[in-house]
Structures are given as C-alpha cells and as structure tokens.
Amino acid sequence: MFSGLSSLVIEDVADQDGVIVVRARTAGGTVPCPQCGTPTGRVHGYFGRTLADVPADGRPVVVRVRVRRLRCPVLGCGVQTFREQVPGVLDRYQRRTTRLAGQAGEAVRRLAGRAGAGLLTHLGVPVSRHTALRILLNIPLPEAGIPRVLGIDDFALRRSHEYATVLVNAATGQRVDVLPGRTADVVEAWLREHPGVQVVCRDGSGAYGEAVRRALPGAVQSGDRWHLWHGLAEAVLKEVAAHSSCWAAAGPPPKDGMHAQTTAERWRQVHDLVDKGTGLLECSRRLNLSLNTVKRYARAAEPERMIRAPRYRPTLVDPYRHHLRALHSPFYHPHQGNRDIFCRKHLETNPG
C-alpha cells in the first residue's frame, strides 16, 4: 500500500476521523549539499513536513515526515544549512507526494479545472478548482521538435482586437508554438530561428505566404483541407450570387402578395432616383435602405427578378400540424377524437 514511500522509514499508521495518517522519517545517511555537492551528515535540526499521498481504500492519506536540516562542512559555501530532500517522494515546496502530483496532473490535464477537481475529490483527493488550475499550469510542456510539415493559422484572443498565430505539426496535429500577433515579421522570425520545415500548410493569407517565401524560399506551400473546401464554397456562393437574376428568370415568380408588392415598390423608387442621376449612396440614405440592397435593386432590369419564391423551413410544429388543424375544425370533438372527424366528413361528402 505504501510502496511509493519506500525511501522513508514508516514509524506509525493511524486512522483519524476517516483520514489515514502515516508518520515517517528520513532514512538518514549523508546528503550532498545543493550548492557545492559535498556530502554531509551533520544535523543542524529537525522540522516536519505534511504531505498528501494517494488515497487508500477511498480515504485520504496524509504523510507527516520528520526531515533533517543539515549543515554544509565547507567553509565559505553559499549555503550554510539546507533541508533534506527525498527525490521521488518529496519535492521542494510541494504539499503532495510525487506520485500523487503526477496522478492529479494527469486528471486535470484531461478534464481541466472544475471537472478535474470534482473527479479528484470523488477519488479521495479533495482539491478546489483553483488548485486544479495551478496543478495544470505547473505541468511542464513537452518538447516539440521541428516538424517536416508545418501548419500555420491565426485565431482570435479578443475578436476584432487581438489575434495570435498557432503553429502545429500538420502530420500529428500536435501544437508546436503560439506566436503573438499574425504579421509576416513574427512568423518569418520564428521560421528563421527554427530551420528544417519542408512543407508549410497555411490559409489564403498573403502575410503568411510572404513570411514563408522570405524565410524558407525552398519550402512547398499548400492549403489544408478545411481552407480548400471553405474557399471552394465561398467561390461557389459568389458565382451563384452574381447570376441570381438568371436563376430568378428561370421560373415564374409569384406576382401577388404583400412581399411582391413591397419589392415592386422599392424597385420603382430606386430606379426613379437612379434615372434622375442620384448616386447609389444617396439613394440608400433617402430610402433608408442598405447600400448593398440598393445595388441589387439597381442591377435588376425588372422587379419580377427581385421576387423569389419563399422557401419553406421545417419547424418544431411540423409533427403536430395535422392535429392543430383538426383542433380548429368544426367537426372536432374533444372526447371523440380525430377518428370521428374523418367519419363525419366522409358521410357529408358521400351521403349514400
């Protein structure tokens, strides 16, 4: 149960109000000075440390260790006395054992603050969400090498105000680095400091392309799958919007109704002003319409091309539409149900 504490000498194990308390001390012997490395066993004093260990049988475990304060025998050493450390069990300035810190770090790395704190508390390691975030921030970042295929893209730290650039390994999806800003100079400086990239996968930004051409003139530049599909969709939408009048003329649009009348009246107002030599911006101000709307009306040769058939959009009421219509029917009876409605309608239409 206490195999992780094998470097210590366990003196007592007690159960105090549902908490397992382990009293232990260091094994003794000589310890190298952290400043000069000279081994010493001269004891200057003792002090106690209280640490949390991995839970046992679903109950928290607290380890109370008596640690020595040693004196360095070298005259003139910068450290006169120092506290004894136990590598693998007790880390400096920590309130948890090394193995508990590793398990807690793995939990918060996968679940983050609030969820990680809830799981650890349920497992017998009570921590707050703030402590979970501190554990997450203390986890050292893995060393990411220079990838052969580098992906570059920007993201918003504060939309419309502050942006940053993320560099990822396009082959594995692992994050390589995050750069402040999204200018060409920042990316170029990073590429010059980290040579070895052969292929750069980026979006359609001209700044990133210029940075790659200046820093890595021999690298191949390509677009990723998402940006290719996104660019294709944008191009298709622009092409379809440019030929919207052709699509509208393909079928007879509805010419009656309030929407058709409003569209025809707006088209007439826009063209009356345009025929008098009024600019499009002035037309938008006089008619209280957006400039793009005025441009669409001005491009249309006739008002019928601005009228489009309404598109039906599914709603949550669709599965109950027949029932709601039956409620407003004069044949509906709340106790007989809809079956009698159809029977009465059938008898009225077919009296024989």
Side-chain angles (χ1 to χ4, degrees), residues 266 270 289-299 306:
R266 286 183 178 178
V270 171
L289 299 174
S290 66
L291 181 59
N292 292 333
T293 302
V294 174
K295 289 181 180 179
R296 288 199 303 270
Y297 278 95
R299 285 195 299 262
M306 299 296 301

Side-chain angles (χ1 to χ4, degrees), residues 299-352:
R299 285 195 299 262
E302 52 187 7
E304 286 76 10
R305 295 193 174 184
M306 299 296 301
I307 304 174
R308 300 178 182 178
R311 296 184 303 173
Y312 176 76
R313 297 181 179 179
T315 63
L316 297 176
V317 188
D318 289 347
Y320 315 99
R321 193 174 299 277
H322 297 289
H323 177 68
L324 295 176
R325 289 175 179 173
L327 291 178
H328 294 279
S329 174
F331 302 100
Y332 178 77
H333 192 276
H335 300 290
Q336 293 177 351
N338 293 336
R339 185 169 58 90
D340 294 344
I341 296 176
F342 297 103
C343 294
R344 293 184 182 182
K345 286 185 177 181
H346 180 72
L347 291 176
E348 290 182 358
T349 55
N350 302 283

Side-chain angles (χ1 to χ4, degrees), residues 115-351:
L119 178 61
L120 290 174
T121 303
H122 180 72
L123 296 178
V125 187
V127 296
S128 64
R129 60 186 180 92
H130 302 286
T131 302
L133 290 178
R134 287 195 296 269
I135 295 174
L136 180 62
L137 294 177
N138 290 333
I139 298 177
L141 297 177
E143 292 292 336
I146 306 302
R148 189 182 68 88
V149 182
L150 180 67
I152 304 178
D153 201 357
D154 61 335
F155 66 97
L157 296 174
R158 185 184 177 193
R159 190 172 298 276
S160 302
H161 290 83
E162 186 177 2
Y163 289 84
T165 300
V166 59
L167 308 178
V168 299
N169 188 337
T172 62
Q174 182 182 6
R175 182 189 58 81
V176 177
D177 202 350
V178 176
L179 308 179
R182 54 177 180 177
T183 60
D185 297 336
V186 174
V187 178
E188 180 185 0
W190 190 92
L191 292 175
R192 292 186 183 278
E193 294 176 0
H194 304 80
V197 178
Q198 302 179 8
V199 180
V200 177
C201 188
R202 62 177 182 85
D203 58 2
S205 173
Y208 292 153
E210 181 64 23
V212 175
R213 282 191 294 270
R214 290 186 300 191
L216 302 174
V220 178
Q221 300 188 36
S222 64
D224 55 36
R225 179 174 54 186
W226 187 90
H227 284 101
L228 289 177
W229 279 107
H230 181 70
L232 177 61
E234 292 291 333
V236 171
L237 288 177
K238 291 181 181 179
E239 189 67 20
V240 172
H243 296 81
S244 59
S245 59
C246 303
W247 303 111
K255 297 183 180 180
D256 54 351
M258 184 62 67
H259 179 69
Q261 296 176 6
T262 304
T263 302
E265 180 65 21
R266 286 183 178 178
W267 181 89
R268 184 185 61 78
Q269 293 175 355
V270 171
H271 278 265
D272 288 346
L273 293 176
V274 171
D275 294 340
K276 295 178 182 179
T278 307
L280 297 181
L281 184 59
E282 183 64 23
C283 292
S284 66
R285 292 175 180 174
R286 294 186 182 182
L287 300 177
N288 196 19
L289 299 174
S290 66
L291 181 59
N292 292 333
T293 302
V294 174
K295 289 181 180 179
R296 288 199 303 270
Y297 278 95
R299 285 195 299 262
E302 52 187 7
E304 286 76 10
R305 295 193 174 184
M306 299 296 301
I307 304 174
R308 300 178 182 178
R311 296 184 303 173
Y312 176 76
R313 297 181 179 179
T315 63
L316 297 176
V317 188
D318 289 347
Y320 315 99
R321 193 174 299 277
H322 297 289
H323 177 68
L324 295 176
R325 289 175 179 173
L327 291 178
H328 294 279
S329 174
F331 302 100
Y332 178 77
H333 192 276
H335 300 290
Q336 293 177 351
N338 293 336
R339 185 169 58 90
D340 294 344
I341 296 176
F342 297 103
C343 294
R344 293 184 182 182
K345 286 185 177 181
H346 180 72
L347 291 176
E348 290 182 358
T349 55
N350 302 283

